Amino acid sequence: MIDKLLKKAGLTDIAAKVEAGERLSEDDGRRLYNCDDLLLLGYLANIVRERKNGDQAFFVYNQHLNYSNICTNLCKFCAFGKAADSDQAYEMTIDQIREKIRSRLAEPISEIHVVGGIHPELPYSYYLEMLRAIKEERPGVHIQAFTGVEIAHLAEISGQSLEDCLKELREAGLDSIPGGGAEVFSARIRQITCEKKLSGEGWLEVARTAHRLGMRSNATMLYGHIETVEERLEHLLMLRQTQDETGGFLTFIPLAFHPCNTELSTINPGMSRTSGVEDLRNIAVARLMLDNFDHIKAYWVMIGPKLAQVALSFGADDMDGTIKEELITKMAGGEAQQAMADSELIRLIKDAGRTPVERDTLYEQLTPRP
Ligand code: V47
């Protein structure tokens, strides 16, 4: 039966490679992206998913902290970043950050995820103080902070090399780097959507430098706006190549574009949210192409908890976490709730026929809880 379907879709040779654990080529990736048999893509991606992670589906008890939305880049796909003089601009003081952390000390949070805009004025010392303050309030927590774009900015304002800056941030409490800021590496896309932002090569250089220092990081791709299949593929191959070199990426997270309140949707008024099929296809193709990534995350905040649950059968093995407060998606029209109880994550995972595993940021199993 499956052989017939594979033949009909022209994927017999790709399926043979997947079953043999062989690397897929760029052209294979193109064919997968253009395949409209979603169930077949899911079937193939699930082979890799189960080979790497069995029935396990990971989640993390985490807290998001968006310390400021003031940003000089003002990317056209982003509804979160605001100019410093905007009446919606905000920045948190170190005391307010302490308070945010303190307010949830009763919860078994193992990871704090920190992301903000590229702020024109906050001094370098603010970032070091923020890291120290978080660790003081919640010793032992893993701080996953600052996208590659923020890290490059911090190196610049501190007048240091990336390496020295990362070492100093690590001493202050930084443990790993989230995957944001990668967007789509294509120079064409960056020119149109985020011309002031760090280049794709610059982003990869931050990742390489961190990995050289033994610090892990994540990788993302923002899809569903004006990028082509070729540009998505190029992005995935650049990540795969970098991972071959360093082995430092923990997980890949496809991020579904939310057009609401973005400049991109003002320029192209017809833009709509990605469809469920598109979301699952991106997860499945990423799982198949990124053979050297251990984990693929279905980020429920962006694709909704129900689709994230289904994605556990289309290549994803991780649902991210409890979160509670996340502004990047919310500002762009995200409708998913902001918080998910760990019991609800566990229920969704079990209901999908998978085994829930509470993990720390580095994918170590947390049982019993620390
Ligand atoms: O870099 C901005 C994206 C990213 C929109 O590492 C948008 O585990 C959709 O990277 N629609 C930041 N996406 C968030 C991020 C992230 C999130 C969760 C987990 C991890 C991880 C990383 O959000 C930005 C950008 O690519 N973004 N605007 C938008 N309108």
Side-chain angles (χ1 to χ4, degrees):
M1 178 67 173
I2 196 76
D3 290 345
K4 258 196 204 160
L5 291 172
L6 287 165
K7 195 165 170 207
K8 188 163 165 242
L11 297 181
T12 306
D13 56 330
I14 293 184
K17 284 191 190 175
V18 170
E19 267 155 25
E22 277 174 35
R23 174 156 284 192
L24 301 183
S25 69
E26 180 175 348
D27 192 51
D28 294 336
R30 193 170 290 120
R31 285 161 61 204
L32 290 170
Y33 261 129
N34 289 319
C35 168
D36 51 21
D37 189 334
L38 181 69
L39 290 180
L40 216 46
L41 288 181
Y43 167 79
L44 293 174
N46 196 50
I47 293 175
V48 182
R49 184 248 191 263
E50 290 190 355
R51 186 183 296 136
K52 285 183 182 283
N53 292 294
D55 259 342
Q56 298 183 110
F58 297 92
F59 70 96
V60 60
Y61 207 121
N62 62 355
Q63 174 175 12
H64 275 223
L65 180 79
N66 298 128
Y67 58 90
S68 171
N69 64 351
I70 297 176
C71 189
T72 50
N73 282 346
L74 299 179
C75 305
K76 294 190 174 64
F77 50 74
C78 182
F80 170 72
K82 301 286 172 211
D85 60 1
S86 160
D87 53 10
Q88 290 174 65
Y90 75 87
E91 69 194 41
M92 293 167 72
T93 63
I94 299 294
D95 279 346
Q96 286 168 331
I97 290 171
R98 281 185 187 277
E99 191 41 47
K100 276 258 177 223
I101 306 300
R102 242 183 259 141
S103 69
R104 297 187 62 193
L105 280 180
E107 294 173 62
I109 289 166
S110 66
E111 169 189 288
I112 314 260
H113 176 111
V114 183
V115 174
I118 300 301
H119 196 293
E121 273 159 23
L122 283 174
Y124 178 56
S125 56
Y126 170 90
Y127 300 87
L128 296 173
E129 268 180 62
M130 171 176 6
L131 293 168
R132 289 189 196 112
I134 294 171
K135 280 276 161 88
E136 271 168 30
E137 296 300 336
R138 193 183 258 282
V141 82
H142 181 111
I143 305 183
Q144 181 166 75
F146 312 136
T147 66
V149 181
E150 288 163 279
I151 301 277
H153 169 69
L154 296 182
E156 192 183 321
I157 62 173
S158 68
Q160 299 181 93
S161 65
L162 276 175
E163 186 166 328
D164 288 343
C165 179
L166 278 165
K167 281 183 182 161
E168 194 163 30
L169 292 169
R170 180 159 66 183
E171 250 166 57
L174 179 68
D175 294 299
S176 68
I177 302 175
E183 321 311 355
V184 185
F185 294 140
S186 146
R188 181 188 83 89
I189 293 291
R190 286 181 119 75
Q191 173 65 32
I192 299 173
T193 65
C194 54
E195 58 181 345
K196 293 194 196 146
K197 195 167 219 158
L198 182 70
S199 67
E201 194 37 58
W203 187 94
L204 287 167
E205 193 46 36
V206 175
R208 278 191 212 103
T209 310
H211 298 172
R212 245 193 336 267
L213 295 173
M215 188 182 281
R216 309 297 299 271
S217 73
N218 291 343
T220 56
M221 174 174 75
L222 179 65
Y223 68 92
H225 43 98
I226 56 164
E227 86 289 357
T228 62
V229 160
E230 291 302 313
E231 286 159 341
R232 285 184 194 171
L233 203 52
E234 176 192 57
H235 186 92
L236 294 182
L237 292 176
M238 285 168 86
L239 287 175
R240 188 168 80 178
Q241 163 76 34
T242 308
Q243 181 75 328
D244 275 345
E245 292 162 23
T246 70
F249 288 118
L250 280 166
T251 182
F252 174 72
I253 310 115
L255 298 174
F257 175 55
H258 283 55
C260 222
N261 306 321
T262 67
E263 204 179 326
L264 213 49
S265 70
T266 312
I267 304 167
N268 311 291
M271 287 190 111
S272 52
R273 293 266 297 271
T274 57
S275 69
V277 169
E278 200 48 27
D279 294 333
L280 292 178
R281 174 181 306 166
N282 265 288
I283 286 173
V285 176
R287 179 59 291 168
L288 288 161
M289 294 306 291
L290 297 177
D291 54 15
N292 51 7
F293 276 64
D294 289 340
H295 303 286
I296 304 288
K297 196 182 274 190
Y299 187 41
W300 65 262
V301 178
M302 286 199 187
I303 61 172
K306 290 186 180 185
L307 195 65
Q309 181 191 34
V310 175
L312 297 177
S313 299
F314 282 77
D317 60 278
D318 187 323
M319 286 192 64
D320 200 90
T322 48
I323 297 178
K324 187 135 182 177
E325 201 179 16
E326 193 266 14
L327 297 176
I328 297 172
T329 320
K330 190 178 177 192
M331 299 294 287
E335 285 152 11
Q337 75 242 43
Q338 289 275 295
M340 177 115 71
D342 51 345
S343 56
E344 177 64 0
L345 279 165
I346 290 168
R347 188 187 70 81
L348 288 173
I349 291 170
K350 281 190 177 161
D351 200 43
R354 302 297 190 185
T355 306
V357 178
E358 183 179 355
R359 62 166 176 89
D360 66 10
T361 312
L362 303 176
Y363 286 85
E364 292 299 324
Q365 183 167 351
L366 292 184
T367 40
R369 283 200 162 119

